[in-house]
């Protein structure tokens, strides 16, 4: 197992290619006066590589989670006993297991048990996707079950089939209601990608760990990481607000 | 023919429909009158197969639905359709989109049917998915009910009377064979009501069966081929239009005189 970054320049260099090694050489001359921004600038290519991996990870998790979750939620609302309740139980259990533990368990013990070796990136993507799918499904199923039945009745008497009603009436109304919650879950999932460093996926947190293990400036390095995340999450939260303002109209009638 | 036979429906241990027999002929307008809570809306839901009676039978033309049902059969919506008291317009769509959605979805299924019919472009040519014949019928209805100025609004931006017209048109463009209207004229002005009235008369002449719940005696006098009085889940009197002026039941007399003096 290779948990957390090694402090051997050789390992670092092998893991994230030449970028970090070159960056490191530059810094060694002016260590000591390095501020947060210096770190960001000095290690920009390493950070960029890490961010790219983080984004690839997040994108997969978002896509799988949102589509899979909408699907599972819709099916669960329709077949309450066979799909709804099991998926509720699973999501309840999942929410009680720390993501870190779940990730580790799927990475090491499970793969050893099954005698397979799966790329840590894929393992991390799948693990977090599973968590995302069930979290999204929970939200979608909940609002679908609370859905005002009169809108469905109106669809029925207009001759719409139940899948047409689902697609054209229920999901649009439900999605508008849930956009803010779903986006919040997605921001949380983005932050959960940091755990992928546990199984040595070279995403942004692992890059930060490696840089830190090299220059021993934890406050500055992790502050830099925090700033990066802030720069990413703030626009996402802004987007959430904007979508909310744009799509969630006040439906109440006079 | 739309027929309800010995319908019984209970809720919370109370019979809210109590052994009701009712018959709706194609080409006739039937009017249901009765006090609040007498079971008018419930009866409409049963007839439209939206709720299951505890026992009884619904006959829609040559289809029979026996209750309690041993199998689930899909009701022939929108051949039989309902406009509800609370309208149930979809809040995320404009009034026009509300009206068009069922049409467009149906056209998808039966695209081939009226394909050859070609119609000159109309004022609402923005749509591509509605068949030209239906588009023209829709445009005519929008003009007839004077709706051009507000069809682009969302339900919560429209007045109750405007919403009532939209909900009515949503049902009308589907050309049902049985049209059940639950108190949909409550917020319409006299002119709108008379427009709807004459339209419904035209519909019934074409062989459509119309059932209307209303509190408006004049509307009933003008429209009704048959009048049905409900009270406490039962039909206490029914008959031709003349029943309105000379009811035999004391209960009906009293109720009529009250709403007469109120209007
Ligand atoms: N789901 C239900 N559960 C319990 N009671 C119900 C239910 N639906 C209707 N009722 C009762 O059944 C009776 C008939 O209701 P219904 O809505 O059919 O009356 P209505 O004649 O349409 O009245 P209104 O003129 O006020 O619309 C009422 O007493 C009502 O409280
Ligand atoms: Mg009612």
């Amino acid at each position: 197992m290779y948990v957390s970054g090694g402090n051997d320049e050789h390992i670092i260099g092998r893991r994230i290619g030449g970028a970090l090694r070159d960056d490191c050489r530059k810094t060694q001359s002016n260590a000591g006066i390095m501020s947060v921004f210096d770190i960001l600038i000095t290690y920009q290519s390493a950070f960029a590589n890490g961010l790219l991996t983080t984004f690839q990870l997040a994108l997969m998790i978002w896509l799988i989670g949102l589509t899979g979750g909408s699907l599972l939620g819709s099916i669960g609302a329709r077949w309450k006993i066979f799909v709804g309740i099991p998926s509720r139980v699973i999501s309840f259990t999942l929410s009680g297991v720390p993501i870190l533990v779940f990730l580790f368990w799927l990475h090491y013990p499970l793969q050893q048990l099954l005698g397979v070796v799966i790329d840590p990136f894929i393992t991390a993507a799948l693990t977090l996707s599973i968590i995302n799918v069930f979290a999204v499904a929970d939200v979608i199923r909940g609002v679908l079950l609370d859905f005002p039945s009169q809108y469905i009745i109106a669809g029925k008497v207009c001759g719409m089939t139940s899948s047409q009603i689902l697609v054209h009436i229920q999901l649009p109304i439900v999605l508008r209601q849930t956009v803010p919650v779903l986006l919040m879950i997605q921001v949380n999932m983005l932050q959960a990608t940091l755990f992928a460093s546990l199984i040595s996926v070279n995403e942004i947190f692992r890059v930060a760990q490696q840089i830190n293990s090299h220059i021993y400036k934890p406050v500055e390095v992790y502050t830099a990481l925090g700033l990066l995340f802030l720069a990413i999450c703030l626009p996402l939260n802004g987007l959430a607000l904007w979508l909310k303002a744009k799509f969630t109209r006040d439906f109440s009638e006079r | 023919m739309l027929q309800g036979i010995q319908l019984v429906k209970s809720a919370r241990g109370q019979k809210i429909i109590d052994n009701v027999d009712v018959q709706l002929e194609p080409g006739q307008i039937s009017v249901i009158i009765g006090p609040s809570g007498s079971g008018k809306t419930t009866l409409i839901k049963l007839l439209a197969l939206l709720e299951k009676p505890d026992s009884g039978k619904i006959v829609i033309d040559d289809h029979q639905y026996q209750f309690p049902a041993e199998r689930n059969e899909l009701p022939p919506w929108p051949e039989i359709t309902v406009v509800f008291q609370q309208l149930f317009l979809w809040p995320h769509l404009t009034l026009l989109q509300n009206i068009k959605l069922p049409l467009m979805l149906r056209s998808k299924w039966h695209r081939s049917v009226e394909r050859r019919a070609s119609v000159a472009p109309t004022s609402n040519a923005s749509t591509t998915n509605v068949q030209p014949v239906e588009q023209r019928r829709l445009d005519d209805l929008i003009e007839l009910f004077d709706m051009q100025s507000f069809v682009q609004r969302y339900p919560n931006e429209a007045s109750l009377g405007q919403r009532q017209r939209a909900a009515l048109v949503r049902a009308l463009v589907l050309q049902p064979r049985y049209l059940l209207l639950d108190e949909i004229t409550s917020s319409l002005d006299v002119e709108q009501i008379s427009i709807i009235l004459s339209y419904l008369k035209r519909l019934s002449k074409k062989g459509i069966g119309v059932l209307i719940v209303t509190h408006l005696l004049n509307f009933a006098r003008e429209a009704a081929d048959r009048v049905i009085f409900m009270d406490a889940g039962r039909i206490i009197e029914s008959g031709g239009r003349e029943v309105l002026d000379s009811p035999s039941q004391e209960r009906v007399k009293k109720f009529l005189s009250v709403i007469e003096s109120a209007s």
Side-chain angles (χ1 to χ4, degrees):
Chain A
M1 274 307 299
Y2 11 77
V3 179
S4 86
N7 44 6
D8 173 325
E9 189 179 3
H10 174 67
I11 295 177
I12 300 171
R14 210 185 42 190
R15 291 264 167 71
I16 32 183
L20 183 55
R21 199 170 28 198
D22 297 344
D23 290 345
C24 289
R25 287 207 193 100
K26 277 181 255 159
T27 45
Q28 262 148 8
S29 52
N30 60 354
I33 51 155
M34 211 186 285
S35 73
V36 171
F37 287 102
D38 288 330
I39 291 178
L40 278 177
I41 291 163
T42 312
Y43 292 102
Q44 49 178 300
S45 47
F47 274 124
N49 280 344
L51 268 187
L52 189 69
T53 309
T54 297
F55 274 139
Q56 286 169 340
L57 202 55
L59 213 63
M60 262 184 87
I61 295 164
W62 288 341
L63 281 178
I64 298 177
L66 287 173
T67 49
S70 305
L71 218 66
L72 182 65
S74 313
I75 298 172
R78 196 137 159 216
W79 288 285
K80 294 183 194 90
I81 295 174
F82 292 110
V83 184
I85 292 176
S87 104
R88 176 104 198 83
V89 169
I90 293 172
S91 84
F92 185 74
T93 315
L94 277 182
S95 68
V97 179
I99 294 179
L100 211 59
V101 174
F102 188 47
L103 187 63
F104 173 75
W105 198 80
L106 283 193
H107 173 63
Y108 181 62
L110 182 69
Q111 293 188 20
Q112 202 183 42
L113 203 74
L114 299 176
V116 291
V117 179
I118 299 170
D119 180 5
F121 179 88
I122 302 290
T123 309
L126 283 184
T127 309
L128 295 175
S129 294
I130 291 172
I131 293 170
N132 200 14
V133 162
F134 282 98
V136 171
D138 238 19
V139 174
I140 299 280
R141 193 186 53 248
V143 278
L144 277 182
L145 286 180
D146 282 344
F147 193 82
S149 63
Q150 63 262 35
Y151 298 141
I152 298 171
I153 289 178
K156 281 184 185 171
V157 292
C158 287
M160 290 163 67
T161 65
S162 33
S163 51
Q164 288 175 336
I165 293 173
L166 181 71
V167 171
H168 294 276
I169 309 293
Q170 286 176 281
L171 284 183
I173 294 178
V174 156
L175 282 180
R176 274 152 220 253
Q177 284 175 340
T178 52
V179 158
V181 191
L182 291 182
L183 265 169
M184 217 168 68
I185 295 176
Q186 300 321 304
V187 171
N188 285 342
M189 292 316 297
L190 175 66
Q191 297 182 348
T193 58
L194 297 191
F195 294 132
S197 59
L198 170 79
I199 57 170
S200 69
V201 175
N202 275 313
E203 45 67 69
I204 189 74
F205 187 64
R206 189 165 165 83
V207 169
Q209 281 178 321
Q210 287 166 343
I211 293 171
N212 183 47
S213 67
H214 197 67
I215 60 173
Y216 305 108
K217 290 211 174 270
V219 177
E220 288 84 351
V221 171
Y222 290 113
T223 305
L225 178 67
L227 283 179
L228 272 181
F229 256 74
L230 207 62
I232 297 160
C233 290
L234 276 188
L236 276 181
N237 285 335
L239 178 73
L241 283 181
W242 179 77
L243 281 176
K244 189 178 169 175
K246 188 165 158 58
F247 287 119
T248 56
R249 300 173 44 256
D250 176 16
F251 285 161
S252 54
E253 292 181 357
R254 288 187 277 154
Chain B
M1 189 163 57
L2 172 59
Q3 212 176 352
I5 301 164
Q6 293 183 350
L7 298 175
V8 176
K9 172 86 178 170
S10 306
R12 298 182 189 279
Q14 225 185 338
K15 280 189 181 166
I16 55 176
I17 292 293
D18 190 358
N19 206 19
V20 163
D21 286 290
V22 63
Q23 203 166 310
L24 183 58
E25 307 273 358
Q28 276 197 352
I29 298 181
S30 305
V31 171
I32 302 185
I33 298 181
S36 179
S38 57
K40 306 181 294 292
T41 300
T42 310
L43 180 60
I44 281 189
K45 282 184 180 161
L46 294 183
L47 288 175
L49 297 160
L50 286 165
E51 276 181 20
K52 293 188 168 88
D54 303 334
S55 64
K57 192 153 104 178
I58 309 276
V59 182
I60 302 175
D61 296 331
D62 42 11
H63 275 268
Q64 298 204 357
Y65 303 84
Q66 178 76 48
F67 295 94
E70 56 265 16
R71 66 208 149 92
N72 267 334
E73 214 178 323
L74 193 70
W77 304 308
E79 294 277 277
I80 175 167
T81 198
V82 185
V83 181
F84 293 95
Q85 217 165 358
Q86 298 90 345
L87 307 175
F88 302 162
L89 291 164
W90 300 303
H92 64 301
L93 301 176
T94 64
L95 298 182
L96 187 60
Q97 289 167 334
N98 260 277
I99 295 167
K100 275 188 175 170
L101 180 65
L103 265 189
M104 282 171 12
L105 293 174
R106 189 169 65 169
S107 313
K108 266 188 198 163
W109 291 108
H110 310 288
R111 183 140 292 168
S112 55
V113 181
E114 295 173 7
R115 176 142 272 180
R116 267 157 293 164
S118 63
V119 175
T122 53
S123 57
N124 280 304
S126 57
T127 49
T128 49
N129 284 332
V130 176
Q131 292 166 30
V133 176
E134 298 187 320
Q135 181 67 50
R136 189 170 56 176
R137 195 187 318 132
L138 172 58
D139 290 341
D140 289 347
L141 281 167
I142 286 176
E143 200 186 318
L144 178 67
F145 294 123
D146 199 16
M147 296 170 62
Q148 295 95 332
S149 62
F150 60 83
V151 277
Q152 304 289 355
R153 291 188 198 156
Y154 285 92
N156 67 337
E157 301 165 345
S159 75
L160 182 55
Q162 292 171 338
R163 275 183 274 143
Q164 286 179 334
R165 279 175 275 168
L168 180 63
V169 169
R170 181 172 71 177
L172 289 178
V173 284
L174 293 170
Q175 292 196 301
R177 268 184 304 151
Y178 297 100
L179 179 61
L180 315 183
L181 307 175
D182 191 357
E183 191 74 53
I184 55 145
T185 50
S186 63
S187 287
L188 294 176
D189 58 42
V190 188
E191 191 189 350
Q192 286 298 336
I193 289 176
S194 83
I195 291 173
I196 289 179
L197 186 67
S198 58
Y199 189 84
L200 291 180
K201 277 183 173 169
R202 253 198 289 157
L203 272 189
S204 76
K205 289 216 178 75
K206 285 187 196 159
I208 312 274
V210 183
L211 183 69
I212 310 173
V213 171
T214 185
H215 285 296
L216 302 173
L217 273 193
N218 285 334
F219 188 88
R221 280 205 183 90
E222 286 279 320
D225 296 307
R226 280 184 61 79
V227 180
I228 298 164
F229 284 100
M230 282 193 80
D231 190 29
R234 296 208 193 97
I235 291 179
I236 54 170
E237 184 156 2
S238 66
R241 200 178 297 186
E242 69 285 349
V243 177
L244 285 168
D245 298 311
S246 51
S248 60
Q249 301 279 324
E250 269 315 302
R251 180 76 186 88
V252 179
K253 260 182 215 162
K254 226 170 102 190
F255 183 71
L256 283 180
S257 72
V258 171
I259 53 174
E260 188 99 73
S261 62
S263 60

